[in-house]
Structure formats: C-alpha cells, structure tokens
Amino acid sequence: MGKKMISVIVPCYNEQEVLPMFRTEILNVADEMTKKYPGLEFEFLFINDGSADGTLELLRKYSEMDCRFRYVSFSRNFGKESAMLAGLENCRGDYAVILDADLQHPPSYIPKMYEYVSNGEYDCAATRRVSRKGEPKLLSFFSASFYKVINKISQTRIVDGAQDFRFMTRQMVDAILSMKEYNRFSKGIFSWVGFKTKYIEVENTERAAGKTTWSFWKLLMYSFEGITAFSTAPLYLSVIMGLVFLVLAVAMAVKTLICGEDMSGDNLIVTLVCLIGGVQLFCMGVLGQYIAKTYMEVKGRPRYIIGETEEIYRQRRTKND
Ligand code: UDP
Ligand code: MG
C-alpha cells in the first residue's frame, strides 16, 4: 500500500520574520509523526499571497533544499480566503491541514488532529478558541455579536471561536472545492459542507513575530461578507421594514381623510421624509450588497492568479543554465 500524504497548507503574507521559526516547528512535528507512523509522508504547500518582503525568496530556498516544500506564489495580494482556496486546489495529500504561518496555530496540535481523523471517527478536526486573551475588548464584543447574529439568521451554523486551523480528509477537501462561489467565507463553507468535525478547545495564542494585517475595519467588512454570503435574511428584513412603513403611511392617509384632519406641521413632514428616506436608503444598501455579489459571481473571475510555483521557478532556472 502506498503512503498516505498530509498536505500542510500555509497562507503567507509578509511573513519573512516568522517563516524560519515556522519551518523548524513544522519539520519537528513532521519528523515525529513520520517516525511514529511510517506509512505517512508530508508536503508543505506555502501560498505566497503577494508578499512585499522576502517571503518568496525564503520559499524558493526551502523548496530547493527539500522537495517536500512547495509553493504557489500569487501575482499580487488576493487575501487569505484566496490563499486557502489555492492551497486546497493545489495540494496532493490524502489529508490537508490549513494553518497560519505566525504560529498562532501551533503545529504541535497536528498529531492530535491526525489521530481524531485517521481512526475514522471524524472527517475533520479544528481548533476553537475558548478565550480571547490579549484581544481588544471592543473586538471581542463585536466578534461575539457577529456569531450571535449570523447563527440567528443563517441556516448554516457557525461555531463561535472556530478557527481556520483545520485538518480534513480528501473527501472534505473535494466537497469544499465543489463550492464554486466567488465570495468565499471559509468559516461558513467549512460548516456548510457538513462532515463530522471534532473541535479542540484552545487558548488564544499571540503571534510569534511580525504583525497582523487585520484591522478592526477589515474584520467588520469580513463579518458583513459572512452574513451576506450565508444568509438572505437582510433582504427579508428590508422587505418587512418597507411593508411596515407602507402600511403606516396608508393608515395615516386614511385617518386624515376620514377624520377630516389637516396633517399640518412642517415638522411632521420633515420627520416623515427623513424616516422614509432613511429606510429606503438602508434597503437599497442591502439590496446593493447582494447585487454586487451577484455581479462578481456572474463575472466568473478567477479568485487568484499564480505568478510562480516551485516548478515554474525550477524550469526557468534550468533554461538559463
Ligand atoms: N494572510 C494572507 N493574506 C492576507 C492576509 C493574511 O495569506 O491578505 C495570512 C497570514 O500570512 C497568516 C494568516 O493569513 O498566515 C493569518 O493572518 P494574520 O496573522 O495577519 O491574521 P490574525 O491572526 O490576526 O487573524
Ligand atoms: Mg495571526
């Protein structure tokens, strides 16, 4: 029987500072595991998401030193969602595990995840943050509210604190890849495809080096992305609000007609105009979000463009020699 391969997928955006540390750690884990399970082998697939620092040079060096190190380098920054997708699309393993380069997802969890999945009990093992130590209070509050809202209005259950650190079977990878949508919100996609998932509870770990690229604003936009990608409830909300105001307006007009009152008072008019104008704008905004998404889907653009891989690099160099 051939060996079973684990593909380690690592999205990297300006990670030159932590990559050497990450490499040491992941190699330790891989050595330990291949000693314990001789039928296992590894590939390390790094996705260079248009880094502006020396990340690509490091990846080139690693892949020259050890053929288990592969990389896909984007032609520019396409975002972590695209990087994860590229990883899943280009990996060759029987299992795939996605983790961050900054050691916030400790590679030492991989053996435990492998055990859960390889004995056939689970299809996927993921970590779930149970504490938000070291995170700004306001951010924690917004994150908690986001999970509450999305789980109320979407049929897809999204586990609070679930991270992108996931170990899964080839079946699950293929299921994820069968979802062709452009607007990808992985947390939703992972749970939409189903499969039995074991959540391992972890404490929050801080970045080993470098700095995060997620600002509060980026996270807020990302949460909105999640809601509109996995729920059409805001559309209904705007319909209902529109209806309520319509009924209200008709009732007021009828009352004025029947009672013969004069609906005077500039204030009343101004308030009403503002109110209705506001509601309309809000509804249009929500509608616009969905139209924008449909527009992007219809265009069918690729989620990322590959600039270089270890193979392309090798071929280019042998031609020059
Ligand atoms: N990342 C990426 N593309 C981006 C931003 C981030 O591939 O546009 C990668 C980054 O290199 C890291 C992971 O995604 O491996 C998580 O990013 P980060 O640590 O900045 O996010 P946080 O841990 O703060 O959520
Ligand atoms: Mg991080």
Side-chain angles (χ1 to χ4, degrees):
M1 211 176 72
K3 287 192 173 186
K4 291 251 185 231
M5 184 191 272
I6 298 181
S7 297
V8 178
I9 298 170
V10 195
C12 303
Y13 179 48
N14 296 339
E15 300 286 12
Q16 66 172 17
E17 279 174 55
V18 278
L19 268 183
M21 268 188 272
F22 179 86
R23 179 171 174 271
T24 316
E25 288 235 359
I26 197 75
L27 279 176
N28 280 343
V29 169
D31 283 350
E32 249 171 58
M33 284 181 77
T34 39
K35 258 190 220 126
K36 190 167 171 197
Y37 310 100
L40 268 186
E41 61 181 346
F42 277 82
E43 73 168 358
F44 309 103
L45 179 56
F46 293 81
I47 314 299
N48 173 34
D49 187 9
S51 302
D53 65 355
T55 301
L56 180 60
E57 283 70 33
L58 278 178
L59 294 179
R60 281 178 181 155
K61 198 174 90 190
Y62 295 165
S63 68
E64 275 177 351
M65 281 159 34
D66 182 342
C67 65
R68 292 175 300 171
F69 281 78
R70 299 174 53 215
Y71 64 86
V72 168
S73 180
F74 289 173
S75 58
R76 64 168 169 87
N77 178 252
F78 282 90
K80 188 186 174 188
E81 283 290 341
S82 300
M84 290 195 288
L85 176 67
L88 293 174
E89 276 180 343
N90 292 287
C91 74
R92 302 168 180 161
D94 302 284
Y95 301 101
V97 53
I98 305 181
L99 73 171
D100 287 359
D102 57 11
L103 297 174
Q104 276 185 308
H105 297 161
S108 53
Y109 279 93
I110 297 177
K112 208 196 287 176
M113 292 173 138
Y114 171 71
E115 272 167 34
Y116 279 119
V117 177
S118 64
N119 69 18
E121 199 183 339
Y122 293 96
D123 304 287
C124 172
T127 54
R128 190 172 90 82
R129 260 202 314 196
V130 283
S131 87
R132 290 183 170 272
K133 220 174 40 191
E135 193 184 73
K137 284 261 169 348
L138 189 70
L139 196 62
S140 301
F141 169 76
F142 273 104
S143 302
S145 316
F146 164 71
Y147 285 110
K148 260 188 217 133
V149 170
I150 195 155
N151 282 321
K152 273 245 159 59
I153 65 178
S154 165
Q155 245 106 53
T156 312
R157 219 179 96 67
I158 292 170
V159 177
D160 185 1
Q163 295 175 309
D164 294 331
F165 186 9
R166 267 165 202 267
F167 189 105
M168 49 204 152
T169 59
R170 169 53 56 182
Q171 284 74 26
M172 185 159 170
V173 172
D174 288 341
I176 290 168
L177 293 179
S178 72
M179 294 177 78
K180 297 284 180 218
E181 62 220 77
Y182 181 85
N183 296 285
R184 294 186 86 83
F185 180 66
S186 284
K187 287 189 195 336
I189 291 179
F190 288 142
S191 85
W192 191 93
V193 293
F195 292 102
K196 225 173 143 198
T197 301
K198 168 74 189 170
Y199 285 101
I200 301 169
E201 301 196 342
V202 296
E203 295 282 321
N204 201 15
T205 329
E206 302 208 7
R207 236 173 193 283
K211 54 180 193 297
T212 178
T213 50
W214 290 89
S215 63
F216 177 73
W217 186 246
K218 250 175 131 179
L219 278 172
L220 190 71
M221 287 293 110
Y222 187 58
S223 64
F224 200 68
E225 185 89 351
I227 288 176
T228 47
F230 275 87
S231 162
T232 44
L235 277 179
Y236 292 112
L237 192 73
S238 57
V239 170
I240 290 168
M241 269 169 63
L243 271 180
V244 168
F245 279 95
L246 198 71
V247 169
L248 212 69
V250 171
M252 266 172 14
V254 169
K255 184 170 169 267
T256 319
L257 275 180
I258 294 177
C259 305
E261 284 173 12
D262 68 331
M263 215 168 38
S264 61
D266 292 347
N267 276 344
L268 178 72
I269 296 170
V270 172
T271 317
L272 271 181
V273 168
C274 287
L275 198 70
I276 294 172
V279 171
Q280 274 179 340
L281 274 179
F282 175 79
C283 297
M284 267 163 59
V286 174
L287 209 65
Q289 278 302 317
Y290 286 96
I291 294 177
K293 291 212 176 318
T294 315
Y295 178 60
M296 290 312 286
E297 298 287 349
V298 166
K299 281 210 265 198
R301 284 191 180 165
R303 277 293 325 222
Y304 57 85
I305 305 285
I306 297 180
E308 181 182 315
T309 64
E310 81 285 347
E311 243 162 273
I312 296 176
Y313 182 62
R314 207 177 307 133
Q315 279 166 8
R316 221 192 278 162
R317 291 194 23 155
T318 41
K319 262 186 219 142
N320 286 345
D321 285 345

